[in-house]
Amino acid sequence: MKKIGLVMVVLALVAGIVAADDRIVSPEKLPKGAKDFIATNFAGKTVQYVEKDFNEYEVQLSDRTEITFNGGNWESIKSYEGIPAGVLPETVTSYVKNNFADAKIVEAEKDWNSIELKLSNRMEVYFDKNGKYMGQKFDD
């Protein structure tokens, strides 16, 4: 029984250490790249909330857009009003406009080699890091 109690204490301490850096910070604490990105692509929107976890920042704007930054670089964006065209490579926005004219890009996620989009018509569209179309599927 004492072993179980000791394991529980250790797990609680580890969880506390892992969550220790996860905190609310002032918008002024955002990296310059993140501030510039928001000012350029979401002009007129204000930062309502910033949560920092190590080098990752989760930001919510006044229109409920959610952006995750790693340092000053965006990793994911979720916006029901649609993600502005200037955020993504021209080839990506052109493909979506030409093939899904009535749909908005409501989510974008990028990593080191790809970009994944979710559209308002529930399609998921995939591109490589250079904006070359790789495929699509219906999000069921």
Side-chain angles (χ1 to χ4, degrees), residues 32-52:
K32 182 178 178 352
K35 289 179 193 176
D36 292 347
F37 178 84
I38 293 168
T40 300
N41 296 292
F42 295 92
K45 310 290 191 274
T46 57
V47 175
Q48 299 293 307
Y49 172 86
V50 178
E51 184 175 315
K52 181 179 187 234

Side-chain angles (χ1 to χ4, degrees), residues 47-101:
V47 175
Q48 299 293 307
Y49 172 86
V50 178
E51 184 175 315
K52 181 179 187 234
D53 186 16
F54 296 102
N55 197 38
E56 186 173 277
Y57 297 83
E58 294 179 16
V59 177
Q60 184 169 351
L61 303 180
S62 54
D63 66 348
R64 297 183 328 156
T65 294
E66 297 172 3
I67 309 169
T68 301
F69 293 96
N70 187 343
N73 301 310
W74 73 270
E75 290 184 331
S76 67
I77 305 171
K78 185 176 186 179
S79 176
Y80 294 109
E81 292 184 10
I83 295 172
V87 170
L88 301 164
E90 174 61 33
T91 54
V92 171
T93 54
S94 292
Y95 184 89
V96 171
K97 183 178 180 182
N98 292 334
N99 293 281
F100 304 100

